Amino acid sequence: MSATQNISLSSAVIGQGNPVFTIAEMSGNHNGDLARALEIVDAVAATGAHALKIQTYTADTLTIDSDAPAFRVRGDHGLWGDRNLYSLYQEAHTPWEWHSEIFDRARSHGLIPFSTPFDPTSVAFLEDLGVELYKTASAEIVDLPLLREVARTGKPVVVSTGMATLSEIDAAVTALRDAGCTELVLLACTAAYPAEPEEARLGNIQVLREAFDVPVGLSDHTLGTGVAVAAAALGATVIEKHLTLDRDDGGVDSEFSLTPAEFAALVVGAEQARVAVGSGVAFGPTEQERAVLALRRSLYVVADVVAGEKVTSHNVRSIRPAGGLPADDFARVEGRTFSKSVSRGTALSWDLL
């Protein structure tokens, strides 16, 4: 699809000229508790977000139970250093038996629930749940058979591009399109947890949009909302951020997740950025500014004067509001005489001199 075309979903539209499509990612922030997961759904709905996303995998569909060095997170990783992959994914996964209840709760709020699948069985499972669209994770962009499996559903696909080279992104886009994907969104992403703003590479948004002619957004793992709002100003049509109820509650993703209040501020800020940039270029007063024109400075009589008295800096000054002669005219009127008596607070005009 063209970057100028839209993707119409049940309760939102993705594309230029539409509100930024905001996705709250639950990930493992449910901390293994279904009640907490449902509370997160309720909190997401209150933020004004458009969509709730989860991830559909088990430790066994994502990796194998091995403690070999290759199956551990690098020791210098800030959050998960030296963690065994299998145990990490066991802790973080969302049980498949929860999905239906989570999706139903989300839909009851008017949210669009969807997920990131990690293998063909999860794609089939999500199809049975009637998801509207799919997201693929940054690390899976090189799994072209998985991308083709997702594309064959005929649903819109949102692809995170963290770590990927431009040629890898091109291969992924080609695989998706060849397998039938006609509605595609690419997300600029820095696949670090948390990511530093210095590595956000927001310039990639424009490059991806021009290179692949699709809507482009941002999957953001930086702390706070500043980077995401900046992305909206640069034309991101989608913003994805992780959400937790409270970072102090802990959890595998809590440190780089937004609280509900922060996410609500992001929704507002991203939309303000989009609208502000879209307002274009023009000079002169806007419609709202017209009411403030009356507060411009002009020359006023600031002390009672009588006819024949001279204009001085003591009885005429440039003050707010407008209505008198321009401030720069003082040099032309200074020393002239008043033709009539004038009371303090009168706008200065030539007929008074």
Side-chain angles (χ1 to χ4, degrees):
M1 64 172 291
S2 168
T4 59
Q5 291 178 325
N6 294 328
I7 299 175
S8 295
L9 303 171
S10 59
S11 58
V13 177
I14 299 175
Q16 296 293 328
N18 297 286
V20 178
F21 186 72
T22 46
I23 303 168
E25 164 68 78
M26 182 187 300
S27 188
N29 286 327
H30 50 66
N31 295 349
D33 180 351
L34 175 57
R36 180 181 172 89
L38 296 175
E39 191 177 353
I40 289 174
V41 176
D42 296 340
V44 169
T47 68
H50 293 96
L52 168 88
K53 192 183 81 68
I54 60 177
Q55 299 178 11
T56 306
Y57 66 86
T58 67
D60 290 299
T61 63
L62 204 50
T63 188
I64 60 172
D65 188 3
S66 171
D67 209 29
F71 290 84
R72 286 189 169 273
V73 181
R74 274 177 39 171
D76 60 355
H77 191 283
L79 293 183
W80 311 315
D82 210 35
R83 284 287 303 270
N84 170 276
L85 291 180
Y86 192 86
S87 67
L88 178 63
Y89 299 146
Q90 277 188 317
E91 177 186 347
H93 87 288
T94 300
W96 292 24
E97 60 270 22
W98 293 4
H99 279 47
S100 180
E101 191 168 352
I102 289 172
F103 284 5
D104 286 346
R105 179 69 72 90
R107 289 176 178 131
S108 75
H109 287 299
L111 291 167
I112 297 172
F114 68 112
S115 186
T116 297
F118 288 85
D119 77 311
T121 66
S122 56
V123 176
F125 176 74
L126 291 167
E127 278 295 283
D128 288 341
L129 292 178
V131 296
E132 292 186 52
L133 71 162
Y134 287 92
K135 163 89 188 302
T136 61
S138 289
E140 275 61 43
I141 198 168
V142 294
D143 189 345
L144 301 186
L146 174 61
L147 298 187
R148 295 185 187 103
E149 188 77 20
V150 174
R152 281 191 282 269
T153 67
K155 306 286 179 62
V157 184
V158 180
V159 178
S160 272
T161 62
M163 304 178 287
T165 65
L166 204 54
S167 62
E168 288 171 336
I169 297 169
D170 182 62
V173 169
T174 299
L176 286 159
R177 285 172 167 164
D178 287 350
C181 177
T182 59
E183 295 182 309
L184 173 65
V185 178
L186 296 177
L187 299 186
C189 179
T190 304
Y193 309 89
E196 296 294 334
E198 294 85 351
E199 294 190 350
R201 295 177 175 174
L202 293 186
N204 287 359
I205 293 171
Q206 180 177 349
V207 173
L208 291 172
R209 185 168 53 238
E210 293 175 353
F212 299 103
D213 196 24
V214 296
V216 177
L218 177 72
S219 179
D220 182 36
H221 304 127
T222 62
L223 303 180
T225 62
V227 169
V229 171
L234 292 172
T237 59
V238 175
I239 299 290
E240 179 190 47
K241 291 278 282 187
H242 288 236
L243 181 144
T244 187
L245 296 176
D246 190 326
R247 282 187 291 274
D248 291 339
D249 293 343
V252 294
D253 296 335
S254 62
E255 284 194 33
F256 60 91
S257 297
L258 298 181
T259 65
E262 291 167 340
F263 202 100
L266 167 62
V267 172
V268 172
E271 185 59 12
Q272 287 177 333
R274 180 190 73 84
V275 171
V277 171
S279 63
V281 177
F283 294 93
T286 68
E287 198 58 42
Q288 283 188 307
E289 286 177 320
R290 292 187 187 282
V292 189
L293 284 173
L295 299 182
R296 281 182 161 180
R297 297 174 80 98
S298 67
L299 296 180
Y300 265 76
V301 178
V302 295
D304 292 340
V305 296
V306 296
E309 192 171 338
K310 290 185 179 300
V311 174
T312 71
S313 60
H314 297 292
N315 56 32
V316 171
R317 284 171 44 209
S318 169
I319 62 170
R320 292 185 181 188
L325 294 173
D328 199 40
D329 278 352
F330 183 78
R332 299 173 63 193
V333 301
E334 186 177 20
R336 293 180 181 244
T337 57
F338 283 94
S339 61
K340 60 185 75 173
S341 297
V342 182
S343 60
R344 179 176 182 267
T346 302
L348 186 67
S349 58
W350 287 111
D351 65 338
L352 299 180
L353 302 175

